Amino acid sequence: MIEFLARSQKNFIHFLRISIFIVMAWIGGLKAFPYEAEGIIPFVANSPFMSFFLYKKVSDTDNYKLHKNKEGEFVPTNIKWHQANGTYIFSYALGTVILAIGALVLLGIFYPKIGLTGGLLTTGMSIVTLSFLITTPEVWVPNLGGPDYGFPYLSGAGRLVLKDIIMLGAGLVIAADSAQRILKKS
């Protein structure tokens, strides 16, 4: 078993590339749907890396809290607010970037230089996503009267964000493997 695992490392790294691609393609593709676009608003609105893309017509970025839809909910006034503030356009662009990064990672199976770029972009994307643990209040359980709220109690959104630490590690492994393959060719 140990010998099999040791001999299989290259194949497992390729499987990691495929796994990253699946996650990126799925999540990036979902950014084209209104419920997903609306769902990322708390993260984007509070992010120093992304908030400047939104709220061209509304000066108070906390307004997003008044226009949040539950997943699958259809509230026409909220949808108009999101249209006016660029929510959907931003989400489409973000989805395209995520899909592109996933494709670069996958192409790394055949082209190490492209894989290096994909691994580094995956790492950078993960750092931005993990920054939401600091910038987004919705990642922590709110104080609703119970004893368990705030840090370290992650909400559903927080648990989703924390899992990006795995994507960060995977991006670094992919980048390192691609760099080794580039050096071997030189």
Side-chain angles (χ1 to χ4, degrees):
M1 179 65 129
I2 291 174
E3 287 180 21
F4 168 76
L5 291 171
R7 284 192 314 267
S8 300
Q9 181 175 351
K10 178 181 174 184
N11 293 331
F12 292 154
I13 290 175
H14 288 331
F15 178 71
L16 184 59
R17 285 183 171 93
I18 293 166
S19 301
I20 290 171
F21 172 75
I22 290 169
V23 170
M24 298 281 212
W26 200 330
I27 290 175
L30 286 175
K31 297 289 184 262
F33 295 92
Y35 91 94
E36 175 68 14
E38 295 159 8
I40 64 172
I41 290 304
F43 302 111
V44 176
N46 291 292
S47 170
F49 301 109
M50 291 189 258
S51 60
F52 58 89
F53 287 112
L54 297 176
Y55 308 113
K56 294 172 177 58
K57 296 181 182 176
V58 176
S59 59
D60 180 11
T61 58
D62 281 341
N63 268 342
Y64 77 86
K65 294 176 184 176
L66 303 173
H67 301 281
K68 286 169 59 174
N69 288 337
K70 295 176 185 160
E71 290 182 359
E73 186 176 37
F74 183 81
V75 180
T77 55
N78 289 351
I79 291 169
K80 286 179 185 174
W81 185 90
H82 286 289
Q83 288 169 336
N85 287 288
T87 297
Y88 303 120
I89 292 170
F90 175 80
S91 187
Y92 302 154
L94 180 61
T96 301
V97 168
I98 292 170
L99 283 165
I101 293 171
L104 293 173
V105 169
L106 184 64
L107 287 171
I109 292 172
F110 310 104
Y111 307 103
K113 288 180 182 176
I114 293 173
L116 175 63
T117 302
L120 293 173
L121 288 172
T122 299
T123 300
M125 184 191 76
S126 300
I127 290 168
V128 170
T129 302
L130 287 166
S131 75
F132 298 153
L133 291 171
I134 299 167
T135 62
T136 307
E138 285 87 347
V139 300
W140 306 105
V141 172
N143 183 354
L144 300 175
D148 302 326
Y149 63 89
F151 180 84
Y153 303 105
L154 292 167
S155 67
R159 293 189 297 272
L160 180 72
V161 167
L162 185 62
K163 288 191 274 185
D164 251 52
I165 194 90
I166 298 167
M167 192 67 86
L168 174 68
L172 291 170
V173 167
I174 295 304
D177 177 71
S178 296
Q180 284 180 346
R181 291 170 53 212
I182 292 167
L183 289 175
K184 279 183 184 177
K185 282 186 176 181
S186 343

